[in-house]
């Protein structure tokens, strides 16, 4: 037996999806996360999933991990002490940023770069924007700078020289000198991370990568050590923010590429499930313990972006799945602020002490109730069957927390206060969904809503109602979708090259050669991974804009245009840009010269996909009758509600709400006025009863 395992570590739970490709059989496990050392939950979850498959650690062939270790380290600023060696006179690039501010309408704000001012050292060197080296870097000055930073306690080092994207010679020379004197491997040069114009974005991405190297490196080392102790020789791969996989060696060198690793894996799973079920247009919503992560899939294509802010001033410019994140998960804390308004999130109770209903807070009643507490008090979560192998939940503790922190200040009963908490949380989540749909020019009525994560299915009807979405698509195992995405993710390598010239000066032969060179690098990287692929796909984009503009749009070139006549490539570029610009802004600008800023090439090695029909319920195991009933509070009154074992429902089973569907990884709340049907793959399709 050779198993493929996907592991996703969240703020509250660690999820594992164990797949036997030969037998087409899958098993899931969900264990409590261990924030002090996430690798403990990683190994515990693996062991639980393997046991369900009747196997030990030696049966694992491939382990794919989606991690938020890097993201959390940046958000909490728990990164390594890092030094920066830069061009003299440019030590303040990280602090100046783009002269933005934390509050759009405020005239003040405060920001401290991850690298303090006294740890940024300037050295004499200069490369011009045309790539000419006007002043070489001096090796003695570099060594003196490194010794100064080591004496200041730096564990990691970033090298960032102006215009190194145009010619990396000075940075490469500096890297060679510094690695000879630096006592560890944690040295990053900006041209290795982002060989692209825009000095702040390059400096920010490179410095964040350097600061993460020791943190992520130690974490990966603990996982490898734990796996080795248990006798597994499985290949360990890590999910990147762009949805592709990379090796452990690359993860140590480029940890910044894992900044949104965990949420990205969930979107990959949703894309595969939705297209397999005949729903190419979906908005995904991952409700975990801490956050609500939203993404959009149109025509089966996952939305990608070249840049994201992890927090204010911490800009990461690297290809990644476009995900909008807000603090609205099951553990998000509710409170009444000084103005008397109810707020939910972004602070979270996490897995320890967790929601009040977990019973882990002792006599400390200073923490407020959470979204999970509200769902428990309203009867939507069965306190005797919580997810993640938790013991029974304490309903009274949840009720008391809601009454004290929300009900009494607002003059509401515990039930009314719990509904108010969910109303605010749902409004926050709906706002994030509008941001990736309406504000991007998409009509949400075209899309289905696809909730996942442990808490997503509890809010599916509320999200459909709030945003006006036509249907809900709940996957077979929504609580472990990110782990499933890890198991089926493809290998991917992205490359970028700045061209920065008017389109009129772009030679088709030269562009074709640049594409060929980057494609070969990507092909070599895929081959070195030693992973079997179904096929290799190339995606080529140009970052383009009209002369005088600042922001670019991505113009995609297909293989037919790239491999066609070289002298016709320019016309293909014009057509691709005008199509992309028209889609983004509804028009083009006739007569305005076009400019090409960057060339991007992605090489994708597609791994075998899991046949989702294996997840569909077996006829012999199905059951249509409810397993019980429970009172659920909704819209100001109690409803006597049937409870079903979701995984036992047969294909084409149909039911009108209210109803509850329970399974080991989540609970689904079907409101009155909505209906649900089980499709051929075991997904639950939700619609309004008048649809």
């Amino acid at each position: 037996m050779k198993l493929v395992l996907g592991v996703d570590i969240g703020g509250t739970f660690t999820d594992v999806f164990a797949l036997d490709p030969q037998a087409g059989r899958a098993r899931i496990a969900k264990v409590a996360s261990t924030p002090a050392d996430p690798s403990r939950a990683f190994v515990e979850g693996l062991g639980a999933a393997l046991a369900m498959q009747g196997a030990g650690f030696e049966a694992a062939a491939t382990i794919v991990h989606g991690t938020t270790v890097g993201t959390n380290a940046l958000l909490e600023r728990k990164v390594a002490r890092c030094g920066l060696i830069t061009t003299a006179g440019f030590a303040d690039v990280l602090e100046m940023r783009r002269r933005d501010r934390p509050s759009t309408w405020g005239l003040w704000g405060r920001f401290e770069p991850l690298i303090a001012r006294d740890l940024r050292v300037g050295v004499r060197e200069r490369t011009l924007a045309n790539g000419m080296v006007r002043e070489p870097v001096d090796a003695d000055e570099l060594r003196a700078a490194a010794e100064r930073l080591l004496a200041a306690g730096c564990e990691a080092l970033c090298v960032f020289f102006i215009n190194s994207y145009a010619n990396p010679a000075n940075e490469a020379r500096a890297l060679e000198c510094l690695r000879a004197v630096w006592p560890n491997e944690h040295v990053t040069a900006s041209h290795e991370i982002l060989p692209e114009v825009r000095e702040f974005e390059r400096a920010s991405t490179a410095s964040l990568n350097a600061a993460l190297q020791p943190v992520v490196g130690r974490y990966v080392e603990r996982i490898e050590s734990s796996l080795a102790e248990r006798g597994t020789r499985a290949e360990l791969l890590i999910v990147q923010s762009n949805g592709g996989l990379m090796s452990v060696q690359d993860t140590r060198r480029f940890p910044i590429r894992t900044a949104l690793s965990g949420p990205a894996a969930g979107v990959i799973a949703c894309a595969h499930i939705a297209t397999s079920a005949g729903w190419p247009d979906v908005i995904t919503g991952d409700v975990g313990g801490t956050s609500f992560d939203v993404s959009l899939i149109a025509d089966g294509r996952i939305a990608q972006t070249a840049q994201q802010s992890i927090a204010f001033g911490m800009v990461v410019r690297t290809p990644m799945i476009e995900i909008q994140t807000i603090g609205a998960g099951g553990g998000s804390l509710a409170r009444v602020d000084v103005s008397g308004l109810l707020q939910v999130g972004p602070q979270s109770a996490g897995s320890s002490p967790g929601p009040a209903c977990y019973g882990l807070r002792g006599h400390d009643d200073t923490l407020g109730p959470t979204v999970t507490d509200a769902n428990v008090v309203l009867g939507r979560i069965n306190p005797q069957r919580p997810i993640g192998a938790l013991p029974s939940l304490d309903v009274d503790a949840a009720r008391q927390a809601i009454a004290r922190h929300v009900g009494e200040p607002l003059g509401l009963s515990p039930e009314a206060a719990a509904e108010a908490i969910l109303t605010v949380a749902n409004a926050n989540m709906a706002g994030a969904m509008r941001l990736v749909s309406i504000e991007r020019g998409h009509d949400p009525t075209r899309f289905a809503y696809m909730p996942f994560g442990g808490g997503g299915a509890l809010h599916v009807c509320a999200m459909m109602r709030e945003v006006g979405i036509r249907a809900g698509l709940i996957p077979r195992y929504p609580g472990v979708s990110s782990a499933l995405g890890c198991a089926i993710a493809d290998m991917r390598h992205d490359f970028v090259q700045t061209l920065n010239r008017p389109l009129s000066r772009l030679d088709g032969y030269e562009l074709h050669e640049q594409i060929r060179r980057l494609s070969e690098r990507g092909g070599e990287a895929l081959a070195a991974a030693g992973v079997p692929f179904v096929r290799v796909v190339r995606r080529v984009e140009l970052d383009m804009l009209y002369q005088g503009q600042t922001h670019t749009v991505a113009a995609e070139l297909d293989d037919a245009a790239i491999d066609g006549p070289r002298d016709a490539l320019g016309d293909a570029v014009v057509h691709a840009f005008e199509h992309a610009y028209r889609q983004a802004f509804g028009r083009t600008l006739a007569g305005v010269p076009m400019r090409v800023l960057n060339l991007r090439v992605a090489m994708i090695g597609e791994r075998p996909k899991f046949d989702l029909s294996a997840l569909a319920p077996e006829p012999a195991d199905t059951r249509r009758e409810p397993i019980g009933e429970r009172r659920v509070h909704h819209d100001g009154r109690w409803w006597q509600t049937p409870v079903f074992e979701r995984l036992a429902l047969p294909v084409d089973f149909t039911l009108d709400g209210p109803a509850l569907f329970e399974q080991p990884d989540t609970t689904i709340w079907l409101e009155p006025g909505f209906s649900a049907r089980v499709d051929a793959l075991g997904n639950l399709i939700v619609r309004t009863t008048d649809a």
Side-chain angles (χ1 to χ4, degrees):
M1 184 185 297
K2 294 298 182 182
L3 303 178
V4 177
L5 298 110
V7 186
D8 173 64
I9 296 181
T12 304
F13 293 110
T14 293
D15 305 325
V16 183
F17 186 90
L19 171 65
D20 183 345
Q22 279 73 38
R25 185 178 65 181
R27 294 291 183 267
I28 66 169
K30 185 180 278 282
V31 300
S33 293
T34 50
D37 181 6
S39 64
R40 282 174 43 216
F42 180 97
V43 174
E44 182 184 344
L46 278 178
L50 287 166
M52 292 179 184
Q53 286 279 21
F57 277 85
E58 71 282 352
T62 305
I63 300 172
V64 184
H65 181 25
T67 174
T68 56
V69 167
T71 312
N72 294 339
L74 291 175
L75 289 173
E76 298 172 13
R77 291 179 172 256
K78 294 180 179 178
V79 295
R81 188 171 175 84
C82 182
L84 174 71
I85 296 179
T86 186
T87 307
F90 289 88
D92 293 320
V93 166
L94 284 178
E95 204 142 8
M96 294 173 65
R97 308 179 310 282
R98 292 292 171 192
R99 304 309 300 154
D100 49 353
R101 51 184 182 260
S103 176
T104 302
W105 307 111
L107 297 179
W108 59 274
R110 188 167 177 267
F111 171 69
E112 293 182 10
L114 278 183
I115 301 179
R117 184 62 178 82
D118 62 335
L119 300 180
R120 297 178 236 146
V121 181
V123 296
R124 289 175 290 113
E125 73 82 35
R126 179 53 66 92
T127 299
L128 302 183
N130 62 7
M132 186 182 78
V133 177
R134 191 176 71 184
E135 183 176 3
V137 66
D138 182 79
D140 292 335
E141 192 175 3
L142 284 170
R143 282 190 286 270
E147 289 169 1
R148 171 180 163 185
L149 293 172
L150 284 171
C154 289
E155 185 182 3
L157 180 63
C158 175
V159 182
F160 158 68
F161 291 161
I162 288 298
N163 297 326
S164 63
Y165 70 90
N167 182 352
N170 269 359
E171 269 197 5
R173 170 62 176 153
L175 205 57
E176 181 183 354
C177 293
L178 292 167
R179 281 184 172 151
V181 298
W182 200 257
N184 57 48
E185 62 182 357
H186 308 314
V187 182
T188 294
S190 72
H191 76 272
E192 294 181 314
I193 304 298
L194 187 67
E196 183 181 333
V197 69
R198 297 182 189 274
E199 68 275 7
F200 164 64
E201 287 77 8
R202 185 157 43 86
S204 175
T205 306
S207 61
L208 296 181
N209 186 82
L212 281 178
Q213 280 183 325
V215 177
V216 175
R218 283 191 288 265
Y219 171 68
V220 171
E221 185 177 346
R222 285 197 300 271
I223 289 178
E224 287 186 306
S225 177
S226 297
L227 292 176
E229 290 172 2
R230 287 157 178 81
T232 180
R233 296 183 178 180
E235 180 181 25
L236 179 62
L237 300 171
I238 308 297
V239 180
Q240 300 182 70
S241 304
N242 62 15
L245 304 180
M246 63 180 174
S247 67
V248 170
Q249 292 74 23
D250 284 341
T251 302
R252 288 194 178 98
R253 288 184 62 204
F254 308 116
I256 195 62
R257 295 180 184 173
T258 69
L260 291 175
S261 169
V267 180
I268 294 165
C270 287
H272 179 49
I273 294 169
T275 52
S276 299
W279 297 82
D281 301 314
V282 294
I283 298 173
T284 70
D286 179 6
V287 181
T290 303
S291 64
F292 177 58
D293 304 315
V294 193
S295 191
L296 184 136
I297 300 167
D299 299 323
R301 292 284 297 270
I302 298 172
Q304 296 268 342
T305 183
Q307 183 172 309
Q308 189 89 328
S309 292
I310 301 299
F312 175 74
M314 284 194 276
V315 173
V316 176
R317 189 165 178 83
T318 184
M320 61 184 72
I321 292 176
E322 186 172 14
I323 297 172
Q324 182 69 31
T325 300
I326 63 170
S332 293
L333 292 164
R335 68 192 186 284
V336 178
D337 66 18
V338 293
S339 62
L341 296 177
L342 176 60
Q343 306 287 345
V344 178
Q347 297 82 8
S348 172
S351 59
S352 179
C357 61
Y358 281 16
L360 301 177
R361 297 184 178 182
H363 298 293
D364 182 7
D365 59 356
T366 57
L367 281 179
T370 67
V371 172
T372 295
D373 291 318
N375 277 309
V376 168
V377 166
L378 297 176
R380 301 175 188 185
I381 293 176
N382 185 348
Q384 304 306 317
R385 294 186 66 189
I387 65 175
L390 291 170
S392 60
L393 302 179
D394 190 337
V395 181
D396 289 337
R399 182 184 298 274
Q400 291 169 13
I402 289 174
R404 179 185 174 189
H405 291 274
V406 178
E408 292 174 7
L410 297 180
L412 300 174
S413 68
E415 290 77 19
E419 281 207 286
I421 291 171
L422 295 186
T423 298
V424 173
N426 289 334
N428 292 341
M429 290 189 277
M433 290 174 63
R434 294 188 187 98
L435 189 63
V436 302
S437 58
I438 296 173
E439 295 193 25
R440 299 288 192 275
H442 297 284
D443 179 3
T445 60
R446 271 184 53 208
F447 293 79
Y449 174 52
M450 195 167 184
F452 66 103
L458 284 164
H459 303 262
V460 58
C461 298
M463 291 299 96
M464 291 171 60
R465 189 176 61 249
E466 288 271 351
V467 186
I469 288 179
R470 63 191 177 107
L473 172 61
I474 305 175
R476 182 76 167 162
Y477 295 105
V480 295
S481 291
S482 291
L484 167 60
C486 292
I488 64 173
D490 298 321
M491 185 74 73
R492 175 169 175 154
H493 292 280
D494 287 89
F495 302 90
V496 61
Q497 179 64 55
T498 291
L499 303 176
N500 197 19
R501 67 188 65 175
L503 181 59
S504 59
R505 288 176 45 202
L506 185 69
D507 179 80
Y509 291 87
E510 180 188 357
L511 177 59
H512 185 275
E513 177 59 23
Q514 294 272 24
I515 294 172
R516 184 198 62 78
R517 183 176 59 82
L518 296 182
S519 300
E520 284 186 357
R521 285 179 59 192
E524 291 169 359
L526 291 177
V531 176
F533 301 125
V534 175
R535 64 172 182 156
V536 174
V537 177
R538 177 180 65 183
R539 290 183 183 164
V540 178
E541 291 181 341
L542 294 170
D543 292 340
M544 296 184 63
L545 66 169
Y546 284 110
Q547 194 73 33
Q549 292 181 334
T550 300
H551 299 287
T552 63
V553 298
E556 185 171 359
L557 296 176
D558 58 28
D559 285 340
I562 297 168
D563 298 331
R566 306 291 188 269
D567 54 2
L569 190 53
D571 293 335
V573 171
V574 171
H575 175 76
F577 173 61
E578 289 184 338
H579 174 73
Y581 198 90
R582 191 177 290 109
Q583 277 200 322
F585 302 107
R587 56 170 295 190
T588 57
L589 304 181
V592 180
M594 303 172 187
R595 191 172 188 87
V596 180
L597 191 62
N598 300 309
L599 164 66
R600 298 184 185 277
V601 175
M603 296 297 292
I604 304 167
E606 294 187 352
R607 296 168 65 219
K609 294 296 183 286
F610 175 50
D611 184 357
L612 294 170
S613 62
L615 297 182
E618 295 288 341
D621 300 328
T622 57
R623 172 178 174 171
R624 292 178 176 271
E625 299 79 19
I627 58 175
E629 62 178 21
R630 192 161 69 245
R631 289 203 317 155
V632 177
H633 197 277
H634 169 73
D635 199 20
R637 57 166 286 199
W638 290 99
W639 301 71
Q640 200 66 24
T641 303
V643 181
F644 293 85
E645 189 68 56
R646 187 267 173 98
L647 298 181
L649 297 176
V651 172
D652 289 330
F653 173 87
T654 304
L655 181 74
D656 289 341
L660 285 165
F661 304 91
E662 295 180 351
Q663 59 187 95
D665 59 313
T666 195
T667 297
I668 302 165
W669 163 232
L670 185 69
E671 294 183 3
F674 290 81
S675 67
R677 177 181 63 84
V678 179
D679 74 1
L681 299 179
N683 302 307
L684 202 64
I685 309 300
V686 178
R687 296 183 184 273
T688 58
T689 51
D690 58 356

